[in-house]
């Protein structure tokens, strides 16, 4: 079974600074997808960024980028120029339809607080 | 594209009562998923549909839970004889059949008293 681990329950950063959230996962498969989702307080889950395991190039979406290390099974999220609106719970998630169907497996989440 | 919608947003019920939640996916999405999220945790998969067919169910989905997607559009999740342990946020998501991004609705927060 695939597992996803986020070892940082809480993190904080000053506005305009850069922060990195960690995620590791465990799988024996080669082809899979990784995601970061953001869940603001009392609001719905929003897809932040996605990475295909077969791509070596790290995904980037505006201020959000990932550092995907396939051999180390590591998938960290870097948020540059942090904004107050980035305050949220961030979840790392994994999917491999060949072995685990269409279910997303989520980590425990990291609560990020951006301070003014 | 109006996004995934869920109804109701909040439900308070007494233990032993039945509840039903509805999810309307993004209109062109073939796949629809149900997850459950307890406070401070990541969502856990319950079940998913491709069109009207329920293709996978988690063992978390006890016999008291049933889900339907009769016409391949909206879906309902029913919980019979609710228990306090059923208190959670129930999330619905949808995706294109060949895509992998799942887009989530706002959730239905269930409180069983």
């Amino acid at each position: 079974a695939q597992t996803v681990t986020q070892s940082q329950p809480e993190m904080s950063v000053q506005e305009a600074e850069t922060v990195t959230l960690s995620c590791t996962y465990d799988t024996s498969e080669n082809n899979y997808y990784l995601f970061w989702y953001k869940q603001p307080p009392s609001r719905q889950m929003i897809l932040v960024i996605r990475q295909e395991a077969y791509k070596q190039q790290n995904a980037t979406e505006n201020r959000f980028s990932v550092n995907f290390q396939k051999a180390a099974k590591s998938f960290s999220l870097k948020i540059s120029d942090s904004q107050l609106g980035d305050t949220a719970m961030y979840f790392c998630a994994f999917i491999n339809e060949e072995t685990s169907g269409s279910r997303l497996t989520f980590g425990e989440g990291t609560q990020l607080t951006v301070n003014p | 594209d109006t996004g995934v919608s869920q109804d109701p947003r909040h439900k308070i019920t007494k233990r032993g009562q039945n509840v039903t939640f509805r999810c309307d996916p993004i209109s062109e999405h073939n796949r629809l998923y149900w997850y459950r999220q307890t406070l401070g945790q990541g969502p856990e998969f319950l079940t998913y549909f491709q069109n009207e067919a329920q293709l996978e169910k988690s063992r978390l989905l006890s016999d008291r839970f049933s889900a339907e997607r009769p016409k391949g559009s909206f879906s309902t999740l029913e919980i019979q004889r609710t228990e306090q342990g059923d208190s959670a946020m129930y999330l619905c998501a949808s995706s294109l059949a060949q895509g992998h991004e799942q887009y989530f609705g706002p959730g239905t927060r269930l409180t069983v008293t």
Side-chain angles (χ1 to χ4, degrees):
Chain A
Q2 287 82 9
T3 58
V4 177
T5 302
Q6 294 178 248
S7 58
Q8 305 153 313
E10 297 179 357
M11 291 194 70
S12 63
V13 64
Q14 292 299 119
E15 196 174 6
E17 293 187 347
T18 296
V19 64
T20 299
L21 309 183
S22 300
C23 172
T24 59
Y25 58 94
D26 185 25
T27 183
S28 57
E29 302 303 318
N30 272 320
N31 297 318
Y32 50 87
Y33 296 78
L34 294 161
F35 306 88
W36 279 97
Y37 281 88
K38 165 186 176 181
Q39 190 174 39
S42 301
R43 296 183 64 185
Q44 67 193 76
M45 193 88 70
I46 301 166
L47 178 65
V48 174
I49 200 165
R50 147 196 167 138
Q51 175 78 44
E52 294 92 337
Y54 62 85
K55 288 187 177 179
Q56 291 187 333
Q57 186 173 4
N58 289 323
T60 299
E61 287 287 340
N62 300 315
R63 299 183 294 106
F64 299 88
S65 62
V66 299
N67 183 4
F68 174 48
Q69 301 290 327
K70 191 172 183 179
K73 297 179 182 176
S74 169
F75 182 61
S76 60
L77 175 70
K78 185 172 81 171
I79 306 174
S80 304
D81 186 24
S82 298
Q83 300 175 0
L84 296 179
D86 295 333
T87 292
M89 189 73 122
Y90 287 80
F91 291 99
C92 178
F94 170 103
I95 192 168
N96 179 334
E97 294 202 4
E98 294 177 8
T99 57
S100 59
S102 286
R103 63 179 67 194
L104 276 169
T105 300
F106 286 86
E108 307 90 333
T110 296
Q111 176 63 51
L112 175 67
T113 302
V114 180
N115 298 309
Chain B
D1 179 3
T2 58
V4 179
S5 62
Q6 293 187 244
D7 183 69
R9 296 289 305 275
H10 303 273
K11 178 71 176 179
I12 300 174
T13 191
K14 293 185 178 180
R15 188 177 55 187
Q17 297 295 305
N18 299 344
V19 295
T20 300
F21 310 140
R22 176 180 171 126
C23 171
D24 287 88
I26 294 170
S27 58
E28 65 268 25
H29 285 183
N30 297 323
R31 292 187 173 183
L32 186 149
Y33 312 81
W34 287 98
Y35 292 84
R36 181 169 68 187
Q37 185 180 25
T38 53
L39 197 62
Q41 300 295 316
E44 295 177 295
F45 172 82
L46 292 178
T47 188
Y48 100 92
F49 294 82
Q50 181 158 320
N51 299 314
E52 65 275 8
Q54 188 173 17
L55 296 186
E56 189 177 352
K57 292 195 291 187
S58 163
R59 61 178 178 272
L60 290 175
L61 213 65
S62 75
D63 291 345
R64 298 184 296 105
F65 288 71
S66 62
E68 295 183 343
R69 195 183 182 196
K71 297 182 180 179
S73 57
F74 73 91
S75 174
T76 58
L77 177 68
E78 181 184 15
I79 309 174
Q80 296 181 328
R81 305 181 303 281
T82 52
E83 301 173 356
Q84 287 188 323
D86 297 332
S87 294
M89 177 76 86
Y90 289 84
L91 298 171
C92 177
S94 70
S95 74
L96 289 169
Q98 297 303 317
H100 295 272
E101 294 94 346
Q102 295 183 19
Y103 295 91
F104 284 80
T108 294
R109 181 168 295 284
L110 173 66
T111 302
V112 181
T113 61

